PDB file of all heavy atoms in Angstrom:
ATOM      1  N   ALA A   1     113.724 119.285 129.930  1.00  0.00           N
ATOM      2  CA  ALA A   1     115.030 119.662 129.368  1.00  0.00           C
ATOM      3  C   ALA A   1     115.371 118.774 128.180  1.00  0.00           C
ATOM      4  O   ALA A   1     115.007 117.590 128.134  1.00  0.00           O
ATOM      5  CB  ALA A   1     116.104 119.537 130.440  1.00  0.00           C
ATOM      6  N   LYS A   2     116.065 119.342 127.217  1.00  0.00           N
ATOM      7  CA  LYS A   2     116.499 118.559 126.062  1.00  0.00           C
ATOM      8  C   LYS A   2     117.722 117.724 126.423  1.00  0.00           C
ATOM      9  O   LYS A   2     118.517 118.108 127.276  1.00  0.00           O
ATOM     10  CB  LYS A   2     116.791 119.475 124.879  1.00  0.00           C
ATOM     11  CG  LYS A   2     115.568 120.214 124.344  1.00  0.00           C
ATOM     12  CD  LYS A   2     115.864 120.937 123.045  1.00  0.00           C
ATOM     13  CE  LYS A   2     114.692 121.823 122.620  1.00  0.00           C
ATOM     14  NZ  LYS A   2     113.484 121.051 122.332  1.00  0.00           N
ATOM     15  N   GLN A   3     117.866 116.604 125.743  1.00  0.00           N
ATOM     16  CA  GLN A   3     118.969 115.694 125.977  1.00  0.00           C
ATOM     17  C   GLN A   3     119.799 115.563 124.706  1.00  0.00           C
ATOM     18  O   GLN A   3     119.253 115.503 123.602  1.00  0.00           O
ATOM     19  CB  GLN A   3     118.447 114.313 126.400  1.00  0.00           C
ATOM     20  CG  GLN A   3     117.552 114.325 127.627  1.00  0.00           C
ATOM     21  CD  GLN A   3     118.286 114.722 128.894  1.00  0.00           C
ATOM     22  OE1 GLN A   3     119.440 114.336 129.093  1.00  0.00           O
ATOM     23  NE2 GLN A   3     117.623 115.504 129.742  1.00  0.00           N
ATOM     24  N   ASN A   4     121.114 115.509 124.872  1.00  0.00           N
ATOM     25  CA  ASN A   4     122.016 115.325 123.738  1.00  0.00           C
ATOM     26  C   ASN A   4     121.946 113.863 123.288  1.00  0.00           C
ATOM     27  O   ASN A   4     122.383 112.960 124.005  1.00  0.00           O
ATOM     28  CB  ASN A   4     123.441 115.695 124.130  1.00  0.00           C
ATOM     29  CG  ASN A   4     124.405 115.603 122.960  1.00  0.00           C
ATOM     30  OD1 ASN A   4     124.030 115.347 121.823  1.00  0.00           O
ATOM     31  ND2 ASN A   4     125.681 115.832 123.241  1.00  0.00           N
ATOM     32  N   ILE A   5     121.404 113.635 122.078  1.00  0.00           N
ATOM     33  CA  ILE A   5     121.281 112.273 121.573  1.00  0.00           C
ATOM     34  C   ILE A   5     122.347 111.958 120.523  1.00  0.00           C
ATOM     35  O   ILE A   5     122.397 110.864 119.982  1.00  0.00           O
ATOM     36  CB  ILE A   5     119.869 112.010 120.996  1.00  0.00           C
ATOM     37  CG1 ILE A   5     119.551 112.993 119.858  1.00  0.00           C
ATOM     38  CG2 ILE A   5     118.824 112.107 122.089  1.00  0.00           C
ATOM     39  CD1 ILE A   5     118.238 112.681 119.143  1.00  0.00           C
ATOM     40  N   GLY A   6     123.175 112.962 120.205  1.00  0.00           N
ATOM     41  CA  GLY A   6     124.327 112.726 119.343  1.00  0.00           C
ATOM     42  C   GLY A   6     124.069 112.747 117.858  1.00  0.00           C
ATOM     43  O   GLY A   6     124.973 113.042 117.072  1.00  0.00           O
ATOM     44  N   SER A   7     122.848 112.435 117.435  1.00  0.00           N
ATOM     45  CA  SER A   7     122.532 112.364 116.016  1.00  0.00           C
ATOM     46  C   SER A   7     121.021 112.414 115.851  1.00  0.00           C
ATOM     47  O   SER A   7     120.284 111.881 116.697  1.00  0.00           O
ATOM     48  CB  SER A   7     123.081 111.068 115.421  1.00  0.00           C
ATOM     49  OG  SER A   7     122.736 110.953 114.061  1.00  0.00           O
ATOM     50  N   CYS A   8     120.567 113.067 114.777  1.00  0.00           N
ATOM     51  CA  CYS A   8     119.119 113.153 114.586  1.00  0.00           C
ATOM     52  C   CYS A   8     118.787 113.492 113.140  1.00  0.00           C
ATOM     53  O   CYS A   8     119.569 114.145 112.439  1.00  0.00           O
ATOM     54  CB  CYS A   8     118.519 114.217 115.502  1.00  0.00           C
ATOM     55  SG  CYS A   8     116.709 114.144 115.638  1.00  0.00           S
ATOM     56  N   ASN A   9     117.604 113.052 112.709  1.00  0.00           N
ATOM     57  CA  ASN A   9     117.076 113.441 111.404  1.00  0.00           C
ATOM     58  C   ASN A   9     116.368 114.779 111.518  1.00  0.00           C
ATOM     59  O   ASN A   9     115.602 115.002 112.468  1.00  0.00           O
ATOM     60  CB  ASN A   9     116.092 112.392 110.892  1.00  0.00           C
ATOM     61  CG  ASN A   9     116.776 111.105 110.494  1.00  0.00           C
ATOM     62  OD1 ASN A   9     117.854 111.125 109.910  1.00  0.00           O
ATOM     63  ND2 ASN A   9     116.153 109.975 110.807  1.00  0.00           N
ATOM     64  N   PHE A  10     116.631 115.665 110.552  1.00  0.00           N
ATOM     65  CA  PHE A  10     115.971 116.960 110.467  1.00  0.00           C
ATOM     66  C   PHE A  10     114.955 116.878 109.337  1.00  0.00           C
ATOM     67  O   PHE A  10     115.312 116.566 108.195  1.00  0.00           O
ATOM     68  CB  PHE A  10     116.983 118.073 110.208  1.00  0.00           C
ATOM     69  CG  PHE A  10     117.815 118.441 111.403  1.00  0.00           C
ATOM     70  CD1 PHE A  10     118.662 117.503 111.992  1.00  0.00           C
ATOM     71  CD2 PHE A  10     117.733 119.701 111.960  1.00  0.00           C
ATOM     72  CE1 PHE A  10     119.423 117.830 113.107  1.00  0.00           C
ATOM     73  CE2 PHE A  10     118.502 120.041 113.069  1.00  0.00           C
ATOM     74  CZ  PHE A  10     119.347 119.093 113.646  1.00  0.00           C
ATOM     75  N   ILE A  11     113.698 117.149 109.647  1.00  0.00           N
ATOM     76  CA  ILE A  11     112.612 116.993 108.687  1.00  0.00           C
ATOM     77  C   ILE A  11     112.276 118.348 108.077  1.00  0.00           C
ATOM     78  O   ILE A  11     112.080 119.339 108.798  1.00  0.00           O
ATOM     79  CB  ILE A  11     111.371 116.392 109.362  1.00  0.00           C
ATOM     80  CG1 ILE A  11     111.729 115.039 109.995  1.00  0.00           C
ATOM     81  CG2 ILE A  11     110.235 116.228 108.358  1.00  0.00           C
ATOM     82  CD1 ILE A  11     110.645 114.464 110.876  1.00  0.00           C
ATOM     83  N   GLU A  12     112.212 118.411 106.762  1.00  0.00           N
ATOM     84  CA  GLU A  12     111.944 119.658 106.049  1.00  0.00           C
ATOM     85  C   GLU A  12     110.657 120.307 106.522  1.00  0.00           C
ATOM     86  O   GLU A  12     109.613 119.661 106.642  1.00  0.00           O
ATOM     87  CB  GLU A  12     111.883 119.391 104.539  1.00  0.00           C
ATOM     88  CG  GLU A  12     111.694 120.656 103.713  1.00  0.00           C
ATOM     89  CD  GLU A  12     111.852 120.399 102.222  1.00  0.00           C
ATOM     90  OE1 GLU A  12     112.683 119.534 101.845  1.00  0.00           O
ATOM     91  OE2 GLU A  12     111.142 121.056 101.444  1.00  0.00           O
ATOM     92  N   ASP A  13     110.748 121.616 106.828  1.00  0.00           N
ATOM     93  CA  ASP A  13     109.624 122.429 107.292  1.00  0.00           C
ATOM     94  C   ASP A  13     108.935 121.821 108.510  1.00  0.00           C
ATOM     95  O   ASP A  13     107.731 121.947 108.688  1.00  0.00           O
ATOM     96  CB  ASP A  13     108.606 122.660 106.175  1.00  0.00           C
ATOM     97  CG  ASP A  13     107.761 123.909 106.438  1.00  0.00           C
ATOM     98  OD1 ASP A  13     108.234 124.808 107.163  1.00  0.00           O
ATOM     99  OD2 ASP A  13     106.617 123.970 105.934  1.00  0.00           O
ATOM    100  N   TRP A  14     109.723 121.189 109.386  1.00  0.00           N
ATOM    101  CA  TRP A  14     109.160 120.607 110.599  1.00  0.00           C
ATOM    102  C   TRP A  14     110.121 120.741 111.781  1.00  0.00           C
ATOM    103  O   TRP A  14     109.774 121.333 112.785  1.00  0.00           O
ATOM    104  CB  TRP A  14     108.810 119.140 110.366  1.00  0.00           C
ATOM    105  CG  TRP A  14     108.090 118.523 111.530  1.00  0.00           C
ATOM    106  CD1 TRP A  14     108.596 117.692 112.490  1.00  0.00           C
ATOM    107  CD2 TRP A  14     106.710 118.726 111.875  1.00  0.00           C
ATOM    108  NE1 TRP A  14     107.632 117.351 113.406  1.00  0.00           N
ATOM    109  CE2 TRP A  14     106.459 117.968 113.053  1.00  0.00           C
ATOM    110  CE3 TRP A  14     105.673 119.464 111.304  1.00  0.00           C
ATOM    111  CZ2 TRP A  14     105.213 117.931 113.658  1.00  0.00           C
ATOM    112  CZ3 TRP A  14     104.416 119.428 111.914  1.00  0.00           C
ATOM    113  CH2 TRP A  14     104.207 118.669 113.075  1.00  0.00           C
ATOM    114  N   GLY A  15     111.334 120.203 111.650  1.00  0.00           N
ATOM    115  CA  GLY A  15     112.279 120.274 112.744  1.00  0.00           C
ATOM    116  C   GLY A  15     112.948 118.949 112.988  1.00  0.00           C
ATOM    117  O   GLY A  15     113.045 118.102 112.095  1.00  0.00           O
ATOM    118  N   LEU A  16     113.415 118.723 114.228  1.00  0.00           N
ATOM    119  CA  LEU A  16     114.099 117.480 114.554  1.00  0.00           C
ATOM    120  C   LEU A  16     113.083 116.376 114.808  1.00  0.00           C
ATOM    121  O   LEU A  16     112.066 116.600 115.474  1.00  0.00           O
ATOM    122  CB  LEU A  16     114.982 117.652 115.795  1.00  0.00           C
ATOM    123  CG  LEU A  16     116.336 118.334 115.591  1.00  0.00           C
ATOM    124  CD1 LEU A  16     116.165 119.832 115.401  1.00  0.00           C
ATOM    125  CD2 LEU A  16     117.271 118.048 116.756  1.00  0.00           C
ATOM    126  N   GLU A  17     113.377 115.213 114.302  1.00  0.00           N
ATOM    127  CA  GLU A  17     112.499 114.063 114.486  1.00  0.00           C
ATOM    128  C   GLU A  17     112.308 113.773 115.977  1.00  0.00           C
ATOM    129  O   GLU A  17     113.274 113.717 116.741  1.00  0.00           O
ATOM    130  CB  GLU A  17     113.094 112.846 113.787  1.00  0.00           C
ATOM    131  CG  GLU A  17     112.198 111.624 113.770  1.00  0.00           C
ATOM    132  CD  GLU A  17     112.797 110.488 112.972  1.00  0.00           C
ATOM    133  OE1 GLU A  17     114.035 110.455 112.800  1.00  0.00           O
ATOM    134  OE2 GLU A  17     112.036 109.621 112.516  1.00  0.00           O
ATOM    135  N   LYS A  18     111.048 113.647 116.381  1.00  0.00           N
ATOM    136  CA  LYS A  18     110.633 113.337 117.752  1.00  0.00           C
ATOM    137  C   LYS A  18     110.837 114.483 118.738  1.00  0.00           C
ATOM    138  O   LYS A  18     110.597 114.306 119.940  1.00  0.00           O
ATOM    139  CB  LYS A  18     111.341 112.081 118.272  1.00  0.00           C
ATOM    140  CG  LYS A  18     111.001 110.814 117.506  1.00  0.00           C
ATOM    141  CD  LYS A  18     111.675 109.598 118.131  1.00  0.00           C
ATOM    142  CE  LYS A  18     111.304 108.329 117.365  1.00  0.00           C
ATOM    143  NZ  LYS A  18     111.949 107.122 117.966  1.00  0.00           N
ATOM    144  N   ASP A  19     111.263 115.659 118.265  1.00  0.00           N
ATOM    145  CA  ASP A  19     111.421 116.783 119.185  1.00  0.00           C
ATOM    146  C   ASP A  19     110.066 117.433 119.439  1.00  0.00           C
ATOM    147  O   ASP A  19     109.291 117.686 118.507  1.00  0.00           O
ATOM    148  CB  ASP A  19     112.383 117.829 118.609  1.00  0.00           C
ATOM    149  CG  ASP A  19     112.640 118.966 119.588  1.00  0.00           C
ATOM    150  OD1 ASP A  19     112.969 118.675 120.742  1.00  0.00           O
ATOM    151  OD2 ASP A  19     112.500 120.132 119.185  1.00  0.00           O
ATOM    152  N   ALA A  20     109.777 117.709 120.701  1.00  0.00           N
ATOM    153  CA  ALA A  20     108.470 118.242 121.080  1.00  0.00           C
ATOM    154  C   ALA A  20     108.202 119.622 120.511  1.00  0.00           C
ATOM    155  O   ALA A  20     107.043 120.029 120.378  1.00  0.00           O
ATOM    156  CB  ALA A  20     108.361 118.284 122.608  1.00  0.00           C
ATOM    157  N   HIS A  21     109.255 120.368 120.165  1.00  0.00           N
ATOM    158  CA  HIS A  21     109.067 121.735 119.676  1.00  0.00           C
ATOM    159  C   HIS A  21     109.084 121.826 118.150  1.00  0.00           C
ATOM    160  O   HIS A  21     109.025 122.922 117.591  1.00  0.00           O
ATOM    161  CB  HIS A  21     110.138 122.650 120.275  1.00  0.00           C
ATOM    162  CG  HIS A  21     110.020 122.787 121.767  1.00  0.00           C
ATOM    163  ND1 HIS A  21     110.681 121.943 122.630  1.00  0.00           N
ATOM    164  CD2 HIS A  21     109.296 123.640 122.535  1.00  0.00           C
ATOM    165  CE1 HIS A  21     110.376 122.291 123.881  1.00  0.00           C
ATOM    166  NE2 HIS A  21     109.548 123.308 123.853  1.00  0.00           N
ATOM    167  N   ALA A  22     109.186 120.687 117.481  1.00  0.00           N
ATOM    168  CA  ALA A  22     109.092 120.695 116.022  1.00  0.00           C
ATOM    169  C   ALA A  22     107.652 120.984 115.606  1.00  0.00           C
ATOM    170  O   ALA A  22     106.713 120.802 116.375  1.00  0.00           O
ATOM    171  CB  ALA A  22     109.548 119.348 115.466  1.00  0.00           C
ATOM    172  N   GLY A  23     107.490 121.466 114.394  1.00  0.00           N
ATOM    173  CA  GLY A  23     106.134 121.753 113.917  1.00  0.00           C
ATOM    174  C   GLY A  23     106.142 122.706 112.756  1.00  0.00           C
ATOM    175  O   GLY A  23     107.188 123.213 112.342  1.00  0.00           O
ATOM    176  N   ASN A  24     104.975 122.985 112.237  1.00  0.00           N
ATOM    177  CA  ASN A  24     104.829 123.875 111.088  1.00  0.00           C
ATOM    178  C   ASN A  24     104.754 125.324 111.569  1.00  0.00           C
ATOM    179  O   ASN A  24     103.707 125.955 111.532  1.00  0.00           O
ATOM    180  CB  ASN A  24     103.592 123.487 110.284  1.00  0.00           C
ATOM    181  CG  ASN A  24     103.483 124.273 108.996  1.00  0.00           C
ATOM    182  OD1 ASN A  24     104.458 124.820 108.504  1.00  0.00           O
ATOM    183  ND2 ASN A  24     102.282 124.344 108.457  1.00  0.00           N
ATOM    184  N   TRP A  25     105.923 125.824 112.060  1.00  0.00           N
ATOM    185  CA  TRP A  25     106.001 127.205 112.540  1.00  0.00           C
ATOM    186  C   TRP A  25     107.417 127.702 112.319  1.00  0.00           C
ATOM    187  O   TRP A  25     108.225 127.014 111.694  1.00  0.00           O
ATOM    188  CB  TRP A  25     105.554 127.301 114.000  1.00  0.00           C
ATOM    189  CG  TRP A  25     106.433 126.612 115.006  1.00  0.00           C
ATOM    190  CD1 TRP A  25     107.077 125.409 114.888  1.00  0.00           C
ATOM    191  CD2 TRP A  25     106.752 127.085 116.312  1.00  0.00           C
ATOM    192  NE1 TRP A  25     107.772 125.103 116.026  1.00  0.00           N
ATOM    193  CE2 TRP A  25     107.596 126.109 116.923  1.00  0.00           C
ATOM    194  CE3 TRP A  25     106.411 128.234 117.027  1.00  0.00           C
ATOM    195  CZ2 TRP A  25     108.095 126.268 118.218  1.00  0.00           C
ATOM    196  CZ3 TRP A  25     106.909 128.380 118.318  1.00  0.00           C
ATOM    197  CH2 TRP A  25     107.732 127.401 118.897  1.00  0.00           C
ATOM    198  N   HIS A  26     107.730 128.906 112.811  1.00  0.00           N
ATOM    199  CA  HIS A  26     109.009 129.516 112.460  1.00  0.00           C
ATOM    200  C   HIS A  26     110.145 129.148 113.404  1.00  0.00           C
ATOM    201  O   HIS A  26     111.303 129.403 113.096  1.00  0.00           O
ATOM    202  CB  HIS A  26     108.860 131.045 112.408  1.00  0.00           C
ATOM    203  CG  HIS A  26     108.593 131.669 113.745  1.00  0.00           C
ATOM    204  ND1 HIS A  26     107.355 131.603 114.339  1.00  0.00           N
ATOM    205  CD2 HIS A  26     109.390 132.360 114.601  1.00  0.00           C
ATOM    206  CE1 HIS A  26     107.398 132.236 115.510  1.00  0.00           C
ATOM    207  NE2 HIS A  26     108.627 132.694 115.689  1.00  0.00           N
ATOM    208  N   ARG A  27     109.844 128.562 114.577  1.00  0.00           N
ATOM    209  CA  ARG A  27     110.902 128.208 115.524  1.00  0.00           C
ATOM    210  C   ARG A  27     111.086 126.691 115.558  1.00  0.00           C
ATOM    211  O   ARG A  27     110.932 126.043 116.587  1.00  0.00           O
ATOM    212  CB  ARG A  27     110.584 128.758 116.914  1.00  0.00           C
ATOM    213  CG  ARG A  27     110.600 130.284 116.967  1.00  0.00           C
ATOM    214  CD  ARG A  27     110.946 130.812 118.352  1.00  0.00           C
ATOM    215  NE  ARG A  27     110.029 130.375 119.384  1.00  0.00           N
ATOM    216  CZ  ARG A  27     109.049 131.111 119.904  1.00  0.00           C
ATOM    217  NH1 ARG A  27     108.838 132.325 119.435  1.00  0.00           N
ATOM    218  NH2 ARG A  27     108.287 130.642 120.856  1.00  0.00           N
ATOM    219  N   GLN A  28     111.424 126.119 114.408  1.00  0.00           N
ATOM    220  CA  GLN A  28     111.536 124.669 114.298  1.00  0.00           C
ATOM    221  C   GLN A  28     112.819 124.132 114.929  1.00  0.00           C
ATOM    222  O   GLN A  28     112.840 123.016 115.443  1.00  0.00           O
ATOM    223  CB  GLN A  28     111.458 124.264 112.828  1.00  0.00           C
ATOM    224  CG  GLN A  28     110.107 124.580 112.199  1.00  0.00           C
ATOM    225  CD  GLN A  28     110.093 124.430 110.699  1.00  0.00           C
ATOM    226  OE1 GLN A  28     111.125 124.202 110.073  1.00  0.00           O
ATOM    227  NE2 GLN A  28     108.919 124.574 110.098  1.00  0.00           N
TER     228      GLN A  28
END
């Protein structure tokens, strides 16, 4: 399950920093 961390960096064409579902795909 995801946890509310309150703040995060969003990386261009990747997703949220350290998020397991980030990546070079369409559901970032």
